[in-house]
Amino acid sequence: MHLPNLKEAKIRSNKEVKYLEASNIKSDKFKNKRYFLKTYGCQMNVHDSEEIKGILGNLGFSETNTLEESDIVVLNTCAIRENAHDKVFGFLGRVKHLKREKKDLIVCVGGCMTQQESVATLLKEKYPFVNIVFGTHNINDLGKLILDANNKQEIEVYSIEGNVYEGMDYVRDSKYSAWVNIMYGCDKFCTYCIVPYTRGKQRSRKIEEIIREVKELKKQGYQEITLLGQNVNAYGKDLKEGYDFATLLTKTAEIGIPRIRFVTSHPWDFTDEMIDIIAKYDNVMPYIHLPLQSGSTNILRLMGRRYTKEEYLTLYNKIKERVPNVSITTDIIVGFPNESEEDFNETLEVVNNCKFDGAFTFIYSPREGTPASKIKDSVDIKIKEKRLQILNEKINEYSLMHNKEYLDKIEKVLIIGHSEKGLNKMCGYTETMKLVNVDGAIDDIGKIIDVKITATKSFSLDGEKVIKVNN
């Protein structure tokens, strides 16, 4: 996407991706200084923030969770929905007041929002107190930009997707569960989606680099990894080596980390071989996020999703039949331009057939620059809100139904931290990605323990730790 007045990256051939070792600039210039980092959006943004933390740490910064204590503020933004934009600009209002008090405060805005021409231009014209604007394609340049920062605003957003850098210094949010990025960008170009424009075309990492990272995580004692990409099961389609996601999943499973997950999948790229591998390996978790988006073939065509309602149902049923105890969740958009009552009822029909374990549901939000944003919409917002309410009631009904199946069963739960339900409670996830609140100890954090489920709710389970008695 062309971004006038912004730095243009070298245009490369779509067939050529350079694989480079990260520079990992180190300096003590900001020793004893603190950074405040706020992340918006998806798992990819969260993992990008782990990279940003590594960059800031290498410059001498330490983290603070208090905005007023910071010497540098970094906002890692999301462009998927309109409310994400509103939250970022609302927060920038707070930062503006702080900047008046702390003249030397460095303010940085990066992420998907800045890859949009209108946002980058707005930051330039109306938010001059922002020192650095960077994009998704040049996060690795952030260290240099900060070292060179001055009172002038520096906008360095590449309009062409960048290279693949290996060996970044991540500061991971967890010591037992890790994201492993396997690819960048997406080639699907669904008509409503801004991702191909903000993150670029698909660039897969080399399989040996991914395996090297996973082996290192196993050595460090990680209990769980999640293979991460905008469309993970399209992995390798842009490589000449002939690797695909099924190959990667097999090689990763054989390393022996206790739990392997992956997000997010596209139904178009979900192969029979993938299903067989998920069923074969016990450490590949029986949890699949399989976005539906709509149950109407007519709307799916307008969305550019490349499958029909019937094809989705065939895939769903195939997974259910071949993967024991599998849990399947989904994404659904209501109110896509000109969605009729019949189209919406078809979505409900698919939901009633699949009885998903859970779903992320949204009212369609047009994103500037996408094909769908040009479609004239005749559906009133109140109708869309009513449809969302009806859909959510149905999703919650089936979520509770599935959760009740866990009552009195013993499940293996990876404890991730303290629960919000009480001081003496921990929380974690089952193999099927069910949230469990359990009476436990701090020592249980980072361990996979047996938990007997004692109560079920729509969005979580309660349980008690199973104490093993040695005879």
Side-chain angles (χ1 to χ4, degrees):
M1 182 171 61
H2 182 59
L3 297 174
N5 302 320
L6 303 181
K7 182 171 180 178
E8 186 78 24
K10 280 187 176 180
I11 298 177
R12 61 168 177 80
S13 164
N14 286 335
K15 296 180 180 178
E16 179 190 0
V17 176
K18 291 184 179 179
Y19 294 86
L20 305 174
E21 197 68 21
S23 58
N24 290 322
I25 296 173
K26 292 179 170 59
S27 170
D28 60 0
K29 180 177 179 179
F30 299 100
K31 188 177 181 181
N32 301 322
K33 300 289 186 180
R34 287 169 289 190
Y35 72 85
F36 178 91
L37 173 61
K38 192 169 182 64
T39 307
Y40 302 84
C42 67
Q43 300 98 327
M44 189 71 74
N45 285 48
V46 172
H47 190 43
D48 284 349
S49 286
E50 292 182 332
E51 181 178 336
I52 291 170
K53 287 181 180 182
I55 291 170
L56 295 171
N58 283 337
L59 297 182
F61 289 102
S62 59
E63 186 174 13
T64 178
N65 293 320
T66 304
L67 175 65
E68 290 71 21
E69 294 179 351
S70 62
D71 299 287
I72 183 171
V73 175
V74 183
L75 304 186
N76 185 14
T77 66
C78 172
I80 296 297
R81 280 171 289 278
E82 188 174 356
N83 65 344
H85 284 66
D86 296 340
K87 288 178 180 178
V88 170
F89 289 120
F91 194 82
L92 276 175
R94 286 184 60 191
V95 176
K96 181 178 180 179
H97 289 295
L98 181 61
K99 180 86 171 185
R100 289 171 180 166
E101 299 172 8
K102 303 176 74 170
K103 302 296 184 183
D104 293 333
L105 180 70
I106 301 173
V107 182
C108 309
V109 180
C112 293
M113 268 180 59
T114 62
Q115 292 290 157
Q116 296 177 278
E117 179 181 333
S118 59
V119 173
T121 302
L122 182 64
L123 287 169
K124 182 177 182 179
E125 294 176 351
K126 296 189 176 181
Y127 294 83
F129 64 90
V130 174
N131 300 93
I132 297 170
V133 180
F134 64 101
T136 59
H137 304 324
N138 66 324
I139 293 175
N140 57 291
D141 291 332
L142 181 59
K144 182 179 181 299
L145 291 171
I146 293 171
L147 286 171
D148 296 340
N150 52 45
N151 291 328
K152 294 182 180 180
Q153 187 180 68
E154 178 70 28
I155 298 180
E156 190 157 324
V157 179
Y158 290 1
S159 60
I160 302 298
E161 56 266 21
N163 300 307
V164 174
Y165 287 87
E166 298 292 353
M168 293 301 300
D169 288 338
Y170 294 108
V171 175
R172 299 186 186 272
D173 292 334
S174 168
K175 294 181 179 179
Y176 38 85
S177 182
W179 305 107
V180 176
N181 209 330
I182 67 170
M183 60 193 295
Y184 303 89
C186 181
D187 284 349
K188 283 296 180 282
F189 287 91
C190 299
T191 62
Y192 55 84
C193 185
I194 196 69
V195 167
Y197 306 97
T198 60
R199 290 194 173 270
K201 300 189 75 172
Q202 176 173 319
R203 290 99 69 212
S204 298
R205 291 177 65 194
K206 290 184 177 181
I207 197 166
E208 57 266 25
E209 292 293 340
I210 299 169
I211 296 305
R212 179 195 57 77
E213 183 176 347
V214 174
K215 285 181 177 178
E216 181 60 29
L217 289 168
K218 182 175 187 287
K219 189 185 300 183
Q220 293 174 20
Y222 277 80
Q223 297 293 301
E224 176 180 89
I225 63 161
T226 300
L227 302 177
L228 185 63
Q230 303 297 157
N231 177 18
V232 286
N233 47 347
Y235 169 80
K237 288 190 172 185
D238 55 312
L239 296 176
K240 298 176 182 178
E241 287 85 348
Y243 293 129
D244 59 11
F245 186 64
T247 304
L248 175 62
L249 199 55
T250 300
K251 288 181 175 290
T252 305
E254 290 173 349
I255 292 171
I257 280 186
R259 289 188 171 191
I260 298 167
R261 303 188 187 276
F262 55 89
V263 288
T264 292
S265 301
H266 192 296
W268 173 265
D269 295 306
F270 218 108
T271 64
D272 286 356
E273 188 178 3
M274 277 183 59
I275 299 173
D276 291 339
I277 290 165
I278 296 167
K280 176 181 178 181
Y281 290 95
D282 290 339
N283 61 339
V284 179
M285 296 295 95
Y287 166 75
I288 297 169
H289 189 68
L290 194 68
L292 169 67
Q293 305 303 4
S294 174
S296 163
T297 295
N298 175 51
I299 296 297
L300 288 171
R301 178 180 57 80
L302 292 175
M303 289 178 166
R305 290 293 288 173
R306 307 188 187 195
Y307 54 84
T308 64
K309 165 188 174 179
E310 290 74 20
E311 288 168 338
Y312 182 94
L313 287 170
T314 297
L315 173 62
Y316 178 92
N317 290 327
K318 193 184 295 184
I319 294 170
K320 277 287 190 178
E321 290 167 5
R322 289 160 61 176
V323 181
N325 305 314
V326 69
S327 168
I328 300 179
T329 57
T330 196
D331 294 336
I332 299 175
I333 298 170
V334 301
F336 192 80
N338 301 317
E339 178 188 67
S340 68
E341 196 67 25
E342 182 181 353
D343 292 325
F344 175 66
N345 286 334
E346 286 196 70
T347 295
L348 289 180
E349 182 184 335
V350 173
V351 170
N352 286 327
N353 276 322
C354 295
K355 299 178 174 60
F356 295 106
D357 283 67
F360 295 101
T361 59
F362 314 95
I363 292 176
Y364 168 73
S365 175
R367 307 300 339 126
E368 180 185 349
T370 61
S373 66
K374 300 174 184 177
I375 303 175
K376 186 177 180 181
D377 188 11
S378 59
V379 184
D380 186 82
I381 183 62
K382 291 183 179 180
I383 294 176
K384 295 178 181 183
E385 290 172 346
K386 181 62 176 177
R387 288 175 183 172
L388 183 66
Q389 179 186 346
I390 293 169
L391 175 63
N392 283 340
E393 288 174 356
K394 187 60 64 175
I395 292 293
N396 294 345
E397 174 188 333
Y398 290 128
S399 178
L400 179 60
M401 180 191 77
H402 284 294
N403 283 355
K404 285 182 177 179
E405 296 170 357
Y406 288 78
L407 189 62
D408 295 328
K409 291 183 178 179
I410 295 176
E411 297 292 325
K412 293 190 177 301
V413 177
L414 172 59
I415 302 300
I416 63 170
H418 290 276
S419 169
E420 296 178 353
K421 303 300 180 181
L423 293 175
N424 297 321
K425 284 188 178 292
M426 300 291 130
C427 67
Y429 287 92
T430 67
E431 293 182 342
T432 52
M433 209 62 181
K434 302 290 185 181
L435 176 64
V436 182
N437 296 296
V438 56
D439 292 326
I442 294 177
D443 290 346
D444 291 326
I445 295 175
K447 297 178 182 178
I448 297 173
I449 65 172
D450 288 336
V451 175
K452 183 177 181 180
I453 306 303
T454 56
T456 61
K457 302 169 186 176
S458 293
F459 306 111
S460 65
L461 308 171
D462 290 340
E464 56 186 27
K465 181 178 178 180
V466 176
I467 306 297
K468 295 181 180 179
V469 179
N470 295 322
N471 293 327

